[in-house]
Amino acid sequence: MGRYTGLPTLDIGFIKASEMSFDTKGGGLESGSNGLGESVTIETTGGGIFVASYENCFAQRPEEHEYINWVSARMNGSFRFMNVPVRSDWMGPFPLFNGVPKPIIGGIPHSDGSLFSDGAGYSQATVFGTVAADAGLTGQVTINIYGASRRLRWSDWFSISHPNKGWRIYRYWETSDPVDVTETIDGVVYTGSQYLLSLDRPLREAAVAGTRIEFARPRCVCKFPVGFTLAWRAKGFMQSSVSFQFVEAF
């Protein structure tokens, strides 16, 4: 059994991908045909597998080449894991700053107004949620969401940090009408909305009420697909363009 918790997270801001792709692959089987000769498709109990890619990632600085080599050394062979975020910044239910969705706010000072010695501050997600009621390995989950700039509608990516399976990512294809909800979390009172969501695949592990849900840069435990390796290569002036491929880890 793999180790799925306490894993490093792919730095998607550092690798500077020019293209990215995320999907839930598989999840159905064909079995026999009906009276019209059409195949009958049934859903598999575990649902589809999350797959992701970050393509044409530009690197030139020495530390960027070092990072590529580190990912390669860790992940080649398809038996080690890391958390892979989905850069869904543009489509999430995040507040707008100058017309641009903002999933994460940075530069937050200490209580006395000071920053760290390098001028940086704390950061936090603008939107988060919690599991509203205990949920088993089911295709539906009731959640509370706080800080959203709009109601949940078509679909959004989100992730849950499971105690054994680690970070797993989900999206929904149907949502109930929102209900107002108030919840106290770590001594702070939050007011938001509650939804019943129908998921694209069942929860990978049971989730208890109060478990935090991340909408900002949601992530999933992944490995390299079998047969894929990340080679370090460079051309003139030490420029490199590499692509990363990932598949959900089991």
Side-chain angles (χ1 to χ4, degrees):
M1 180 177 179
R3 175 174 172 263
Y4 302 122
T5 58
L7 300 174
T9 298
L10 181 71
D11 191 337
I12 59 175
F14 189 63
I15 62 176
K16 299 192 294 291
S18 64
E19 187 175 346
M20 54 189 182
S21 173
F22 314 102
D23 196 11
T24 302
K25 186 177 180 180
L29 295 173
E30 291 188 355
S31 61
S33 302
N34 61 19
L36 298 176
E38 299 172 326
S39 61
V40 178
T41 303
I42 60 175
E43 181 186 14
T44 57
T45 57
I49 303 297
F50 174 73
V51 294
S53 69
Y54 282 95
E55 302 177 24
N56 302 320
C57 303
F58 178 79
Q60 187 172 34
R61 293 182 294 166
E63 57 269 26
E64 293 170 340
H65 289 284
E66 293 170 15
Y67 188 76
I68 291 172
N69 269 288
W70 172 77
V71 175
S72 176
R74 178 183 179 88
M75 302 296 287
N76 277 358
S78 305
F79 54 85
R80 297 190 185 97
F81 315 119
M82 69 188 312
N83 298 317
V84 176
V86 169
R87 193 164 192 163
S88 56
D89 303 10
W90 186 254
M91 60 173 285
F94 309 117
L96 301 179
F97 289 81
N98 296 322
V100 178
K102 193 77 169 178
I104 299 172
I105 294 179
I108 300 173
H110 297 283
S111 58
D112 61 0
S114 64
L115 298 172
F116 293 103
S117 58
D118 61 356
Y122 296 98
S123 63
Q124 68 179 34
T126 56
V127 178
F128 74 97
T130 60
V131 176
D134 291 354
L137 305 181
T138 175
Q140 287 190 318
V141 62
T142 302
I143 73 164
N144 301 327
I145 184 170
Y146 305 103
S149 62
R150 59 163 172 80
R151 62 181 294 175
L152 301 186
R153 45 194 187 197
W154 297 108
S155 188
D156 297 290
W157 293 98
F158 65 89
S159 60
I160 298 175
S161 180
H162 295 292
N164 296 307
K165 292 291 187 180
W167 285 106
R168 300 290 162 156
I169 198 163
Y170 309 95
R171 58 183 171 178
Y172 54 88
W173 57 270
E174 186 176 55
T175 174
S176 66
D177 291 330
V179 176
D180 292 339
V181 66
T182 299
E183 185 178 10
T184 301
I185 304 173
D186 295 330
V188 180
V189 178
Y190 293 91
T191 300
S193 300
Q194 185 174 103
Y195 295 87
L196 174 64
L197 305 180
S198 297
L199 306 178
D200 63 336
R201 74 256 186 83
L203 292 178
R204 294 308 193 198
E205 186 176 352
V208 300
T211 300
R212 185 177 170 104
I213 294 174
E214 296 292 353
F215 283 84
R217 301 283 174 92
R219 68 208 77 166
C220 188
V221 177
C222 290
K223 63 179 182 178
F224 281 171
V226 174
F228 172 81
T229 60
L230 179 65
W232 177 66
R233 60 182 185 269
K235 50 187 178 181
F237 302 103
M238 294 306 297
Q239 293 181 350
S240 180
S241 178
V242 301
S243 295
F244 300 82
Q245 294 181 19
F246 299 96
V247 61
E248 186 176 358
F250 286 97

